[in-house]
Amino acid sequence: MKILVPDTIDLDLASLDASGEDIVVYQVDQPIPSAHRDAEVLVVWRNTTENLAGAAKEMPSLRLVQTLAAGPDSVLAAGFADSVAITSGRSLHDGPVAEHALALVLAAVRRLDVLLESQKAATWNQPYNTAQSDPATEQLYTLDGAKVTIWGFGSIAGRLAPLLAALGAKVTGVASSKGERYGFPVVAADEFHEVLGSTDVLISILPATPETADALNEEVMRQLPASAVFVNVGRGATVDEDALLAALREGRLRAAALDVTKVEPLPADSELWTAPNLIITPHVAGNRPKGAGPLVTANVNALKEGKPLTNQVAG
């Protein structure tokens, strides 16, 4: 079986190599070489849109596309045949994304962006010091006792929620159905509005789907308290950026932090760069898939043996 692996990551596929599989490294920003378009497995990580679209059209023998991204939206949009199984990298990014989400939450809640500007200006920020220690406002600067709502309560949330709880936060999840996950209460999507009004920190880990496009819209933001913080480590397509800009400019949102945007890289002329009280990181939360080699190996073996694939989302 010929397996194409991307040049953007070093995968340990020793057991597949030892079993005689033909493993070929390809460039993710170039067309698939004609000599390798007969491959049955394509592993994807940070591929260009053009590369994926070309592979979908020019690789008739494909049986499996394994993306190492947690969200398979770019692969699903590439146009692969319905007969091709598509599997995601769900769980590979749980730890790194949870870490980055926690970092952004703490940076926004503690307003480290404000303190960094003070440092650059060689200014000892006494007004911040006063506000942070004022009994009337001190709750704004801590997660201890904060009500944190995680929108999209999957495996990443399962890693993140205990970290927040360890700092004293009261965590509630939002998912397609209510109940309890990972030991935390979860409300259904149709009950989301009931928790928004008391949310101190809203964290989105939503995937990009037709149903989640611009999910964080003006209606949602108007239901949040003006003292709330919003953090997005999911997908940029889920946020109405004009509505977010308006909320920040009008003071209807205390602060926000984005690791993802609708257009990436974010253009230099984007108004998001100069938005007040906004922290931006360049889609770095999940740049290090953990356990990618074993996942690819397991799915290739399952494909050969006709067994169920892990994280199958299509095909």
Side-chain angles (χ1 to χ4, degrees), residues 69-302:
D73 40 294
S74 61
V75 174
L76 291 173
F80 289 98
D82 292 341
S83 59
V84 178
I86 295 175
T87 51
S88 77
R90 183 179 185 272
S91 82
L92 300 182
H93 303 273
D94 292 357
V97 175
E99 288 179 5
H100 198 75
L102 179 62
L104 290 181
V105 168
L106 288 171
V109 168
R110 303 287 298 199
R111 297 313 309 272
L112 297 189
D113 54 320
V114 171
L115 295 180
L116 181 58
E117 290 303 314
S118 297
Q119 178 186 343
K120 290 178 179 178
T123 301
W124 190 264
N125 196 325
Q126 191 57 47
Y128 175 97
N129 195 304
T130 300
Q132 189 266 345
S133 59
D134 187 337
T137 60
E138 62 181 348
Q139 186 57 48
L140 296 177
Y141 295 87
T142 181
L143 284 177
D144 191 10
K147 294 180 179 179
V148 178
T149 301
I150 302 180
W151 197 4
F153 212 79
S155 59
I156 293 172
R159 289 287 293 270
L160 175 61
L163 302 177
L164 296 164
L167 294 175
K170 300 172 183 177
V171 180
T172 299
V174 181
S176 55
S177 58
K178 68 185 299 182
E180 182 178 293
R181 298 187 188 181
Y182 308 105
F184 293 89
V186 175
V187 301
D190 59 3
E191 301 172 298
F192 186 27
H193 66 281
E194 297 176 14
V195 300
L196 279 174
S198 60
T199 293
D200 296 307
V201 180
L202 174 60
I203 304 169
S204 176
I205 319 179
L206 290 174
T209 67
E211 293 74 27
T212 62
D214 287 342
L216 184 88
N217 52 31
E218 183 168 351
E219 179 184 0
V220 170
M221 280 183 275
R222 287 193 178 278
Q223 293 179 68
L224 286 168
S227 57
V229 166
F230 171 68
V231 173
N232 188 16
V233 291
R235 284 291 185 265
T238 64
V239 175
D240 181 337
E241 292 177 349
D242 289 337
L244 177 62
L245 279 168
L248 289 168
R249 288 168 175 166
E250 296 168 15
R252 291 186 282 108
L253 196 61
R254 180 179 178 232
L258 305 176
D259 183 56
V260 288
T261 54
K262 282 186 184 294
V263 178
E264 297 180 359
L266 187 63
D269 61 354
S270 170
E271 295 181 62
L272 289 173
W273 289 117
T274 55
N277 306 318
L278 177 61
I279 298 169
I280 298 173
T281 56
H283 202 154
V284 293
N287 269 351
R288 296 179 182 274
K290 300 294 184 181
L295 176 62
V296 172
T297 299
N299 272 341
V300 168
N301 287 332

Side-chain angles (χ1 to χ4, degrees), residues 19-72:
S19 65
E21 307 301 343
D22 185 10
I23 300 173
V24 178
V25 176
Y26 72 97
Q27 293 177 276
V28 299
D29 59 351
Q30 300 294 323
I32 303 295
S34 57
H36 299 307
R37 291 176 187 171
D38 59 343
E40 294 178 75
V41 177
L42 178 68
V43 181
V44 172
W45 177 237
R46 304 182 75 175
N47 296 53
T48 64
T49 301
E50 295 76 16
N51 172 276
L52 290 176
K57 293 178 181 178
E58 299 163 352
M59 299 183 69
S61 300
L62 266 183
R63 297 172 60 196
L64 169 65
V65 178
Q66 169 71 67
T67 177
L68 303 183

